[in-house]
Amino acid sequence: MTIRVLLADDQALLRATFRILIDSCDDMEVVGEATDGAAAVDLARVHRPDVILMDIRMPGTDGLAATSVICADSELADTRVLILTTFEIDEYVAQALRSGASGFLGKDVTAEALLAGIRTVAAGDSLLSPGATRTLITRFLSAPGLGTRLAAADDLNGLTTREREVMMWVAEGHSNDEIAQKLFVSPLTVRTHVHRAMTKLGARDRAQLVVMAYQSGLVQALPPEER
């Protein structure tokens, strides 16, 4: 299957570069280009892309507002947002993840990493490295009063013990293969537990599951002296 990609960035040269790179792959194609968030929302509803490469800082409606609208639209439930930013760790990225973005990449990313990131997000996984996840969570996602709160402790009552355990490892930034090794089960079994936890909690994808793990208190953010 071909991964359909929508580009949302106000820099024409960057969009052109991404288009050439993506269209050179047999399993991907660019279906549209937006210069601001409002256009990204409109084009997403027209083209129903699999992945949107979304810049945060754009004139008019920015990428953060656009991500919130797109991820809240039930008709775009299969569309994943991959944030592109000059600053990999900032509160805007944290808010985008709360809104439903599936991960983020720096604009200085290599061509190979960009294409791998698109494929990862299109497959339903999140693009959050362990180091970036811990830093992001510690600084922003667990802080009160910042954006939408997705989960409280009681929301996890419907999870099994193993689902909570897997969710905890996911929140620490571990892959399915790494979790499988820790729990002495197969990666497929881990993926099943992740999917069930997401379904029960209403998580859009793995990235929102991470947010929920910290906001519910299942995993604690590191104190300042340990960051």
Side-chain angles (χ1 to χ4, degrees):
M1 294 179 62
T2 300
I3 300 172
R4 296 157 49 79
V5 182
L6 174 65
L7 305 177
D9 197 297
D10 60 325
Q11 299 182 46
L13 180 58
L14 195 58
R15 292 198 314 274
T17 301
F18 286 155
R19 175 180 278 276
I20 292 172
L21 178 63
I22 292 169
D23 283 344
S24 69
C25 299
D26 293 336
D27 61 337
M28 300 183 196
E29 67 172 337
V30 173
V31 296
E33 297 183 25
T35 58
D36 61 30
V41 173
D42 291 341
L43 289 175
R45 288 170 173 161
V46 171
H47 296 291
R48 307 292 178 88
D50 300 301
V51 177
I52 301 176
L53 289 183
M54 181 79 76
D55 185 24
I56 288 183
R57 295 176 176 86
M58 294 184 287
T61 302
D62 63 19
L64 183 60
T67 297
S68 296
V69 173
I70 290 167
C71 293
D73 190 333
S74 60
E75 295 187 357
L76 296 175
D78 294 330
T79 295
R80 300 289 178 255
V81 178
L82 179 55
I83 298 294
L84 289 170
T85 178
T86 304
F87 306 99
E88 289 195 11
I89 304 295
D90 63 18
E91 65 176 299
Y92 298 109
V93 175
Q95 292 177 30
L97 291 176
R98 283 201 199 92
S99 299
S102 296
F104 59 94
L105 288 170
K107 285 191 174 180
D108 59 350
V109 66
T110 65
E112 292 77 10
L114 175 66
L115 297 175
I118 293 172
R119 293 184 179 103
T120 295
V121 169
D125 292 326
S126 63
L127 196 63
L128 297 170
S129 68
T133 300
R134 294 189 187 101
T135 303
L136 188 63
I137 293 294
T138 300
R139 291 181 60 186
F140 298 110
L141 294 184
S142 59
L146 287 176
T148 304
R149 192 162 190 85
L150 299 178
D154 290 347
D155 296 326
L156 273 59
N157 290 343
L159 300 184
T160 66
T161 300
R162 180 47 61 90
E163 286 165 356
R164 291 167 67 96
E165 186 176 16
V166 169
M167 184 176 173
M168 179 187 69
W169 288 117
V170 168
E172 289 290 337
H174 296 285
S175 68
N176 287 351
D177 287 345
E178 291 170 338
I179 297 171
Q181 291 179 0
K182 293 177 182 296
L183 301 181
F184 302 102
V185 297
S186 72
L188 179 59
T189 297
V190 172
R191 188 177 184 87
T192 298
H193 287 309
V194 171
H195 179 72
R196 287 176 178 169
M198 287 167 47
T199 299
K200 290 180 179 180
L201 295 173
R204 181 181 176 88
D205 60 13
R206 198 180 182 102
Q208 279 203 334
L209 197 65
V210 170
V211 177
M212 290 177 171
Y214 280 89
Q215 289 188 335
S216 66
L218 178 64
V219 179
Q220 298 295 321
L222 294 176
E225 63 271 15
E226 295 183 27
R227 295 178 190 176

